Amino acid sequence: MFWKSKYFKAIKLLNQGDLENALIEFDKMLDRKPKYYAMVQYAYFLIKAGEYEKAEKLYNNYIFKDISKKKTNDKILCDINYALLVWKKGDLDYAIELTENLLEKYKTTSIYVNLGLFLILKGDYKKALEVNLEAYDFSPENLGVLDNLGMNYYFLEDYENSLKIYEKLFGINENPSFADCYFNYGRLLNKLDQKEKAKALFEKALTAEFSVFSCVTKQQVEDELKNLL
């Protein structure tokens, strides 16, 4: 099938870190009626590339059509990613609503991680804690779950529990790929007056991955480093 050759070429390019050309190959498969999962993946990577309007069109023109007939796992992934798109387009409240509705029907780590993060971003730390503790019971060694919970405790000024969570996170993986956990742990250690350890974490954050899904920017990390000096 023509769409499969384009799909697998896109996946190969993604594995090589070439998101821009992967999206070109994904786009070429649309006229050849690709499988639903391939379009859902394409939408996710459009969101990751910051192509929000194009992702919205993909949902409206392809993904949302006949969605009721699709496999449950495909529908869940579709809705998880769509909530991410809604968040990135600026409607955090609707993203929370969509994700809460998902969690009522399905329990997955991704849904827990997204909802826990959305509620933190909303500033609803008490409700976020309920979700993040439930997520911790569900998936106690997931790095996204642990980062959410550690950050949640930090904003509630429960630094003791925040420290325990981040010690566990970095005990599981000393070198996470995403910048947020280094920044969040560094900010906590700075608050606890552990300046040198905080400095090392901020420096590590600058070498880690920043994406549209990151809740911290390089500028924020650099500002924290300057404030330590």
Side-chain angles (χ1 to χ4, degrees):
M1 293 182 182
F2 179 82
W3 75 266
K4 276 194 173 182
S5 68
K6 297 302 175 185
Y7 172 78
F8 287 119
K9 188 173 181 179
I11 296 301
K12 183 178 179 179
L13 288 165
L14 287 171
N15 290 335
Q16 295 170 351
D18 190 351
L19 177 58
E20 181 179 355
N21 283 309
L23 293 179
I24 292 172
E25 296 303 319
F26 274 127
D27 198 54
K28 290 177 181 177
M29 72 181 183
L30 290 180
D31 292 335
R32 301 301 178 115
K33 298 181 180 180
K35 291 288 187 180
Y36 190 73
Y37 70 83
M39 290 188 289
V40 171
Q41 281 187 290
Y42 180 27
Y44 171 80
F45 287 110
L46 282 172
I47 300 166
K48 188 171 184 179
E51 297 277 359
Y52 305 138
E53 297 305 321
K54 198 168 183 178
E56 186 79 53
K57 288 180 180 178
L58 184 63
Y59 269 98
N60 292 332
N61 295 338
Y62 295 92
I63 295 174
F64 283 149
K65 290 185 176 181
D66 300 321
I67 189 172
S68 62
K69 300 177 183 178
K70 306 305 179 184
K71 294 179 182 178
T72 298
N73 286 343
D74 287 337
K75 289 192 289 186
I76 292 172
L77 187 57
C78 163
D79 290 344
I80 289 173
N81 292 345
Y82 189 67
L84 289 173
L85 175 60
V86 169
W87 163 45
K88 295 312 298 182
K89 290 190 71 178
D91 195 344
L92 180 58
D93 288 337
Y94 187 36
I96 290 171
E97 179 185 338
L98 289 171
T99 313
E100 284 178 332
N101 290 339
L102 269 173
L103 191 61
E104 287 178 2
K105 295 182 286 186
Y106 312 107
K107 300 288 188 270
T108 75
T109 301
S110 293
I111 296 171
Y112 273 120
V113 168
N114 290 354
L115 182 55
L117 177 60
F118 292 160
L119 289 168
I120 289 172
L121 293 175
K122 178 70 176 176
D124 193 346
Y125 302 130
K126 289 185 179 179
K127 187 174 182 180
L129 186 61
E130 293 176 9
V131 171
N132 287 322
L133 286 172
E134 191 175 322
Y136 184 70
D137 288 339
F138 184 82
S139 190
E141 296 195 346
N142 179 270
L143 300 190
V145 168
L146 291 168
D147 189 40
N148 279 353
L149 184 55
M151 179 169 42
N152 204 156
Y153 279 132
Y154 173 87
F155 283 121
L156 288 169
E157 299 183 357
D158 186 347
Y159 303 132
E160 181 179 354
N161 276 317
S162 183
L163 182 62
K164 288 178 182 177
I165 293 299
Y166 278 110
E167 286 176 343
K168 178 174 181 177
L169 189 160
F170 281 88
I172 293 170
N173 188 336
E174 292 181 358
N175 297 292
S177 61
F178 56 105
D180 299 61
C181 58
Y182 296 106
F183 175 79
N184 292 329
Y185 190 20
R187 185 168 53 178
L188 170 67
L189 293 179
N190 186 28
K191 179 70 71 172
L192 297 175
D193 205 30
Q194 298 184 38
K195 305 292 185 183
E196 288 303 313
K197 288 183 179 179
K199 180 174 180 287
L201 285 162
F202 291 142
E203 289 174 343
K204 187 73 173 179
L206 291 173
T207 69
E209 179 185 358
F210 291 85
S211 76
V212 297
F213 303 123
S214 297
C215 295
V216 60
T217 65
K218 283 189 175 182
Q219 186 61 56
Q220 286 176 288
V221 178
E222 289 168 354
D223 288 345
E224 290 288 343
L225 273 170
K226 288 178 184 176
N227 291 335
L228 284 174
L229 299 178

